[in-house]
Short mmCIF file of all heavy atoms in Angstrom, two decimals:
data_model
loop_
_atom_site.label_atom_id
_atom_site.label_comp_id
_atom_site.label_asym_id
_atom_site.label_seq_id
_atom_site.Cartn_x
_atom_site.Cartn_y
_atom_site.Cartn_z
N VAL K 75 17.38 -14.05 18.03
CA VAL K 75 16.37 -13.88 19.06
C VAL K 75 16.87 -14.41 20.40
O VAL K 75 16.66 -13.78 21.45
CB VAL K 75 15.06 -14.58 18.64
CG1 VAL K 75 14.10 -14.69 19.83
CG2 VAL K 75 14.39 -13.83 17.49
N ALA K 76 17.54 -15.55 20.38
CA ALA K 76 18.08 -16.11 21.62
C ALA K 76 19.08 -15.15 22.26
O ALA K 76 19.11 -15.00 23.49
CB ALA K 76 18.73 -17.46 21.35
N ARG K 77 19.88 -14.50 21.45
CA ARG K 77 20.84 -13.53 22.00
C ARG K 77 20.12 -12.38 22.70
O ARG K 77 20.51 -11.95 23.78
CB ARG K 77 21.74 -13.00 20.88
CG ARG K 77 22.81 -13.97 20.44
CD ARG K 77 23.78 -13.30 19.46
NE ARG K 77 24.86 -14.22 19.12
CZ ARG K 77 24.79 -15.13 18.15
NH1 ARG K 77 23.68 -15.24 17.44
NH2 ARG K 77 25.80 -15.93 17.90
N VAL K 78 19.07 -11.87 22.07
CA VAL K 78 18.31 -10.79 22.70
C VAL K 78 17.69 -11.27 24.01
O VAL K 78 17.65 -10.53 24.99
CB VAL K 78 17.21 -10.29 21.74
CG1 VAL K 78 16.33 -9.24 22.43
CG2 VAL K 78 17.83 -9.67 20.48
N GLY K 79 17.26 -12.51 24.02
CA GLY K 79 16.65 -13.07 25.22
C GLY K 79 17.56 -13.12 26.41
O GLY K 79 17.10 -13.16 27.56
N GLU K 80 18.86 -13.10 26.20
CA GLU K 80 19.80 -13.09 27.32
C GLU K 80 19.70 -11.79 28.10
O GLU K 80 20.09 -11.73 29.28
CB GLU K 80 21.22 -13.31 26.81
CG GLU K 80 21.43 -14.69 26.21
CD GLU K 80 22.86 -14.90 25.73
OE1 GLU K 80 23.79 -14.38 26.38
OE2 GLU K 80 23.04 -15.58 24.69
N GLY K 81 19.19 -10.75 27.47
CA GLY K 81 19.00 -9.49 28.17
C GLY K 81 17.60 -9.33 28.71
O GLY K 81 17.39 -8.87 29.84
N ALA K 245 12.43 -19.72 20.69
CA ALA K 245 13.74 -19.07 20.62
C ALA K 245 14.00 -18.08 21.76
O ALA K 245 15.10 -18.05 22.33
CB ALA K 245 13.92 -18.37 19.27
N PRO K 246 13.02 -17.25 22.15
CA PRO K 246 13.29 -16.32 23.26
C PRO K 246 13.65 -17.01 24.56
O PRO K 246 14.41 -16.48 25.38
CB PRO K 246 11.97 -15.55 23.40
CG PRO K 246 11.31 -15.66 22.06
CD PRO K 246 11.69 -17.03 21.57
N LEU K 247 13.12 -18.23 24.77
CA LEU K 247 13.34 -18.92 26.03
C LEU K 247 14.75 -19.47 26.16
O LEU K 247 15.27 -19.60 27.27
CB LEU K 247 12.32 -20.05 26.20
CG LEU K 247 10.84 -19.66 26.02
CD1 LEU K 247 9.95 -20.80 26.48
CD2 LEU K 247 10.53 -18.39 26.78
N ILE K 248 15.37 -19.78 25.03
CA ILE K 248 16.77 -20.22 25.07
C ILE K 248 17.63 -19.11 25.66
O ILE K 248 18.43 -19.32 26.57
CB ILE K 248 17.26 -20.59 23.66
CG1 ILE K 248 16.48 -21.76 23.10
CG2 ILE K 248 18.76 -20.90 23.68
CD1 ILE K 248 16.76 -22.04 21.63
N GLY K 249 17.44 -17.92 25.14
CA GLY K 249 18.21 -16.78 25.65
C GLY K 249 17.88 -16.48 27.09
O GLY K 249 18.77 -16.13 27.89
N ALA K 250 16.61 -16.59 27.47
CA ALA K 250 16.21 -16.29 28.84
C ALA K 250 16.92 -17.19 29.84
O ALA K 250 17.42 -16.72 30.88
CB ALA K 250 14.70 -16.44 28.98
N VAL K 251 16.99 -18.48 29.54
CA VAL K 251 17.66 -19.40 30.48
C VAL K 251 19.16 -19.14 30.49
O VAL K 251 19.80 -19.22 31.55
CB VAL K 251 17.35 -20.86 30.12
CG1 VAL K 251 18.05 -21.80 31.09
CG2 VAL K 251 15.84 -21.11 30.14
N ARG K 252 19.73 -18.81 29.35
CA ARG K 252 21.15 -18.44 29.35
C ARG K 252 21.38 -17.18 30.18
O ARG K 252 22.38 -17.06 30.89
CB ARG K 252 21.65 -18.24 27.92
CG ARG K 252 21.74 -19.52 27.10
CD ARG K 252 22.74 -19.40 25.98
NE ARG K 252 22.76 -20.60 25.14
CZ ARG K 252 23.33 -21.74 25.47
NH1 ARG K 252 23.94 -21.85 26.65
NH2 ARG K 252 23.30 -22.78 24.65
N GLY K 253 20.46 -16.22 30.08
CA GLY K 253 20.57 -15.01 30.89
C GLY K 253 20.48 -15.30 32.36
O GLY K 253 21.24 -14.76 33.18
N ALA K 254 19.55 -16.18 32.73
CA ALA K 254 19.41 -16.57 34.14
C ALA K 254 20.66 -17.29 34.64
O ALA K 254 21.16 -17.03 35.74
CB ALA K 254 18.19 -17.47 34.30
N PHE K 355 13.68 -13.88 34.84
CA PHE K 355 13.82 -14.89 33.78
C PHE K 355 12.99 -16.14 34.12
O PHE K 355 12.35 -16.73 33.24
CB PHE K 355 15.29 -15.29 33.62
CG PHE K 355 16.13 -14.26 32.91
CD1 PHE K 355 17.26 -13.72 33.51
CD2 PHE K 355 15.82 -13.86 31.62
CE1 PHE K 355 18.05 -12.79 32.85
CE2 PHE K 355 16.60 -12.93 30.94
CZ PHE K 355 17.72 -12.40 31.57
#
Side-chain angles (χ1 to χ4, degrees):
V75 167
R77 284 188 176 85
V78 175
E80 294 181 35
L247 307 191
I248 297 171
V251 180
R252 290 204 184 283
F355 285 123

